[in-house]
Amino acid sequence: MSQAIENLSRRRFLQAGGGLTLGVMMPATVMAGAGPGQAGSGPVAPVTFEPNAFLRIGADNTVTVISKHLEMGQGTYTGLATLVAEELDADWEQVRVEGAPADAKRYNNLFWGPAQGTGGSTAMANSWEQMRKAGAAGRAMLVSAAADRWQVPAGELAVEGGVVRHGASGRSATFGELAEAAAALPAPAEVTLKDPADFRLIGKRVPRKDVAAKSTGRAMFTQDVQLPGMLVAVVAHPPRFGATVKSFDASAAKAVRGVEDVVAIPQGVAVLARDTWSAKKGRDALTVEWDESKAFRKGSDEILAGYREMAKRPGLVARAEGDNAAALAGAARVLEASYDFPYLAHAAMEPMNCVMRLGAEGCEVWNGEQLHTGDQYALAGLLGLKPEQVNIHMLYAGGSFGRRACKDSDYVLECAQIVKAIGGRAPVKLVWLREDDMRAGYYRPMFHHALRAGLDADGNVVGWQHRLVGQSIVTGSPFEKMLVKDGIDQVSVEGAANLPYAIPNLQVELHTPTDVPVPVLWWRSVGSTHTAVSTETFLDELATAAGRDPVALRLSLLDKHPRHAGVLRLAADKGGWGTPLAAGADGVRRGRGIAVHESFNSYVAQLAEVSVAKDGALTIDRIVCAVDCGIAINPDNVRAQVEGGVGFALAALLHGEITLEDGVVQQGNFDGYPVLRIHEMPVIEVHIVPSSAPPTGIGEPGVPPVAPAVINAIAAATGKRLYRLPLDTSALAV
């Protein structure tokens, strides 16, 4: 952005992705109504001006914000539009949002280098200044245009609600009336951003930009795309990882009404039909013989047993401070605990899907695109194209939780392989049914943690050893160079290797099995999904052994981490820590627990209140959340993301588990992999720490502290500790 601000050239300012120019544009429409992911109400407005990187203003006074990040339910479109509209001083009602195409030169994620994509809770954080400067540049050009028109100093003009006014003369003009004149002006060399005290939109509750379209069915998801002559593909995948097609008989499948073709691809056999149901019926009728000579045949219990054996040996050192071995040997008391975490499915509301068309110009894609640059290059490599010949239209996505950010571009490449197999004669919509995504997709890795810690005679924590065993998500992927250091996958140990507590002797080690080919991928909050559970529950266990209050013990170890301590105090205060809970009826035991964790540069503490019946039945009554995520661009959206994160985490805590038997995934739909039901959702309170710091992540940080807070509350209520997820509460019966 700094290069753009320093350059007076309007064209260079645009190319750097930081500013605004206005000119002629083509309507943002796609064949047969399959347009980019658009938010707001009403049809696409007639536009007179060419789009720039982030902002377009129509003669009809419509302000269009171009979002480089995917809207998958997390509020990105609203947040990015807020940043632009704030500095532009637009009226919120005139603002609409449109998804950007795949173009890393203009739309790269500033935290990722020359790559465009959405993930790691970076959307707002990496766009904070970029989008504000884009809005401020547009405002400056509109003001200059008005000043030239009225022959008055620009300093005498004010902008509010999409109107430029000259108070002394009473003259005014809308953005639309000034846009053409503003287009002829050079972009400003520098822009001045607002003082936060003057914010009108940032930090305030504004309506989401995608609500109307999603409520009325106008929102464009991949499943809504219809192209002339399009075929729908459903794929028969191998029942075991590593198996391949040996032979198949397509005669019965082709006899199904609506089925047009059956083709072999590297992942299996694709059935193409005129509609999804016919494709599914055709797949059901297929006869496939699988070559399982290289298939993986272990079960979950067998994998976990191997992990436990590995944990008995030292691993690669991810962090080492002091002399941990000596500290443990000389401790007055040593405690040990081990934790088991299963594979987890992403289970997004919208399973994987993609629409693709090949033509003389290249490849055209419609989908809920999360890793634009990675998918663009992967498709170009498969199809023998240049990356710029892969045109991706980013639509809305019905959730992801990491699944659509596939390091291997799996389902996108699968769609391309099908299109290629039929010679590109028709566009193809690939549809993964729920069972496909759950049995042939990617998973949060299974992990085993083994911890040991030592207490001195005064109850101080003097040593800490943490060994983790689990598959690497990034080894062998394009992300390896960035995220694997000295053989250690950083996302495997995040939350453990950066433990904030001031323990003088501390060692964290990692084992990465290389003989388990189960496909693994980041899952909402990634490594912190398991490291927060083991570290925060084990620390609670140490507090109990030392006879110390869990909050007081944490605070004594957080002197150098004031933001951790701040949210911990806030959650404890708002949750009534230290005050007695109302007694439960009929022998119900009640307890409070607390946990604090940093992820994606945000700090979250959560206090849980639970009730445990005599038969062990668990009710989670209340979750109190304290959040420090820098400035809250839209506080209502921050609360929504934290509330959603709580529900997501509770589903994993209570129910989530993908299991393998003889290499075959046992779960296929929500009957075997339940999500949280409404009656299981507790009362949730979210308290946001006031801040003037730049925004940090919020899509994921609400997940990690939930499970440990609940487990700690169960221990407070019953005196019993649980070490495996999902929870087996039968041990809590009395």
Side-chain angles (χ1 to χ4, degrees):
M1 183 61 200
S2 60
Q3 294 177 351
I5 293 298
E6 291 169 358
N7 198 302
L8 292 175
S9 165
R10 172 175 144 212
R11 176 56 57 188
R12 289 291 301 278
F13 192 79
L14 169 61
Q15 291 173 342
L20 165 72
T21 54
L22 304 171
V24 177
M25 72 150 302
M26 296 298 293
T29 57
V30 180
M31 192 172 187
Q38 297 161 356
S41 59
V44 176
V47 183
T48 321
F49 303 102
E50 185 177 317
N52 67 60
F54 302 110
L55 178 62
R56 185 167 71 236
I57 297 176
D60 65 348
N61 212 34
T62 299
V63 172
T64 301
V65 174
I66 312 300
S67 172
K68 65 180 183 178
H69 291 293
L70 174 64
E71 175 59 81
M72 46 190 160
Q74 81 280 39
T76 292
Y77 276 14
T78 301
L80 295 180
T82 301
L83 300 180
V84 174
E86 178 67 72
E87 298 291 347
L88 186 63
D89 278 317
D91 184 280
W92 188 244
E93 293 301 318
Q94 73 185 116
V95 177
R96 62 190 298 278
V97 189
E98 184 176 295
D103 184 349
K105 292 180 180 178
R106 291 188 295 165
Y107 299 115
N108 66 303
N109 186 317
L110 300 180
F111 288 176
W112 293 2
Q116 182 183 357
T118 306
S121 294
T122 61
M124 295 303 110
N126 94 93
S127 305
W128 169 242
E129 284 198 358
Q130 183 183 50
M131 299 299 279
R132 290 174 64 201
K133 286 178 178 178
R139 182 187 189 280
M141 295 169 72
L142 292 165
V143 167
S144 294
D148 289 347
R149 177 178 296 181
W150 299 330
Q151 291 299 293
V152 298
E156 293 183 4
L157 301 181
V159 185
E160 183 177 358
V163 179
V164 182
R165 302 181 189 278
H166 184 237
S169 65
R171 283 176 288 191
S172 65
T174 66
F175 287 176
E177 292 167 341
L178 294 168
E180 187 172 4
L185 300 175
E190 296 182 3
V191 292
T192 300
L193 300 180
K194 285 184 180 180
D195 186 299
D198 297 326
F199 286 161
R200 297 176 181 175
L201 296 174
I202 294 175
K204 310 297 191 297
R205 184 188 185 281
V206 297
R208 282 182 59 136
K209 283 296 172 184
D210 52 348
V211 167
K214 289 179 177 177
S215 299
T216 59
R218 292 197 309 272
M220 184 66 65
F221 292 84
T222 307
Q223 203 64 21
D224 299 314
V225 177
Q226 298 295 329
L227 301 180
M230 185 181 74
L231 297 175
V232 178
V234 174
V235 177
H237 296 101
R240 292 180 174 88
F241 303 113
T244 57
V245 177
K246 186 175 183 179
S247 65
F248 68 95
D249 182 352
S251 56
K254 290 182 176 180
V256 173
R257 184 176 180 181
V259 171
E260 298 284 338
D261 205 348
V262 179
V263 296
I265 59 173
Q267 294 87 350
V269 181
V271 177
L272 296 103
R274 292 192 292 268
D275 57 78
T276 304
W277 182 243
S278 297
K280 179 194 180 301
K281 289 176 66 179
R283 184 183 65 177
D284 293 344
L286 268 178
T287 299
V288 183
E289 183 179 358
W290 302 100
D291 179 355
E292 297 191 323
S293 58
K294 297 181 180 179
F296 182 68
R297 303 191 71 103
K298 288 185 179 180
S300 298
D301 291 343
E302 192 176 354
I303 298 170
L304 189 56
Y307 285 9
R308 289 170 177 160
E309 286 300 313
M310 294 181 77
K312 295 176 182 179
R313 306 186 298 271
L316 292 177
V317 177
R319 179 180 175 184
E321 294 179 4
D323 189 340
N324 190 59
L328 291 175
R333 185 176 179 185
V334 175
L335 284 81
E336 299 184 2
S338 61
Y339 300 81
D340 296 326
F341 302 91
Y343 289 111
L344 293 174
H346 297 80
M349 182 64 72
E350 178 189 19
M352 302 305 102
N353 47 20
C354 181
V355 174
M356 195 172 299
R357 177 173 60 192
L358 286 180
E361 300 297 319
C363 173
E364 199 166 8
V365 180
W366 292 263
N367 71 327
E369 181 59 50
Q370 190 168 355
L371 284 186
H372 305 67
T373 304
D375 289 348
Q376 193 177 37
Y377 274 77
L379 288 169
L382 175 68
L383 299 171
L385 302 171
K386 297 177 181 179
E388 57 268 26
Q389 290 179 284
V390 179
N391 181 18
I392 298 178
H393 302 281
M394 180 172 66
L395 311 181
Y396 284 122
S400 171
F401 314 116
R403 180 64 183 92
R404 286 181 163 80
C406 185
K407 55 197 170 80
D408 304 315
S409 302
D410 69 316
Y411 68 95
V412 177
L413 286 178
E414 184 170 283
C415 188
Q417 286 159 347
I418 297 168
V419 175
K420 187 176 180 181
I422 65 170
R425 72 174 188 270
V428 171
K429 177 190 290 184
L430 171 66
V431 176
W432 279 36
L433 305 179
R434 177 68 57 197
E435 290 78 6
D436 299 319
D437 201 21
M438 201 163 283
R439 291 183 176 139
Y442 284 66
Y443 310 94
R444 196 283 305 269
M446 173 187 285
F447 259 86
H448 174 74
H449 293 219
L451 289 96
R452 298 177 69 218
L455 299 172
D456 66 14
D458 296 322
N460 299 307
V461 185
V462 294
W464 179 282
Q465 177 184 289
H466 190 171
R467 287 181 184 161
L468 303 91
V469 186
Q471 289 173 258
S472 169
I473 292 172
V474 297
T475 297
S477 80
F479 298 89
E480 182 172 356
K481 290 183 179 179
M482 180 172 59
L483 294 174
V484 176
K485 299 178 181 178
D486 299 322
I488 295 172
D489 179 347
Q490 300 300 302
V491 303
S492 292
V493 297
E494 60 186 355
N498 59 332
L499 192 74
Y501 300 114
I503 299 172
N505 305 286
L506 185 149
Q507 185 142 321
V508 179
E509 303 168 9
L510 176 67
H511 287 282
T512 304
T514 57
D515 61 345
V516 181
V518 178
V520 292
L521 191 61
W522 19 72
W523 186 93
R524 192 176 185 179
S525 73
V526 201
S528 291
T529 62
H530 46 92
T531 59
V533 178
S534 62
T535 57
E536 284 297 289
T537 58
F538 192 51
L539 191 68
D540 238 59
E541 195 165 350
L542 295 178
T544 300
R548 301 181 64 179
D549 177 82
V551 171
L553 175 60
R554 286 176 171 82
L555 290 174
S556 72
L557 301 174
L558 290 172
D559 284 345
K560 294 183 179 180
H561 294 274
R563 295 179 78 174
H564 285 82
V567 292
L568 181 62
R569 289 191 181 97
L570 181 59
D573 177 61
K574 296 297 185 180
W577 186 265
T579 62
L581 276 168
D586 300 323
V588 170
R589 296 153 289 169
R590 305 197 65 213
R592 284 195 189 98
I594 203 163
V596 61
H597 192 79
E598 174 195 355
S599 59
F600 307 95
N601 299 310
S602 290
Y603 307 82
V604 179
Q606 290 171 338
L607 178 146
E609 293 179 358
V610 305
S611 298
V612 184
K614 289 181 179 180
D615 62 358
L618 171 68
T619 302
I620 301 163
D621 302 312
R622 181 186 182 213
I623 302 284
V624 178
C625 312
V627 182
D628 181 350
C629 58
I631 189 167
I633 296 171
N634 186 330
D636 190 56
N637 194 63
V638 171
R639 292 187 186 94
Q641 282 299 291
V642 174
E643 290 167 354
V646 169
F648 193 81
L650 288 177
L653 175 69
L654 300 175
H655 308 299
E657 184 173 27
I658 291 291
T659 58
L660 279 71
E661 291 184 12
D662 192 27
V664 178
V665 173
Q666 298 302 294
Q667 294 73 26
N669 212 314
F670 292 127
D671 55 341
Y673 192 88
V675 294
L676 199 72
R677 302 294 184 179
I678 192 66
H679 71 274
E680 298 174 300
M681 193 71 169
V683 173
I684 301 175
E685 300 174 20
V686 180
H687 303 277
I688 303 170
V689 175
S691 177
S692 58
T696 49
I698 198 57
E700 299 171 90
V703 173
V706 175
V710 171
I711 293 170
N712 291 337
I714 292 170
T718 67
K720 297 179 181 179
R721 290 264 165 200
L722 301 177
Y723 298 97
R724 185 187 183 280
L725 269 60
L727 297 182
D728 178 1
T729 60
S730 62
L732 304 179
V734 293

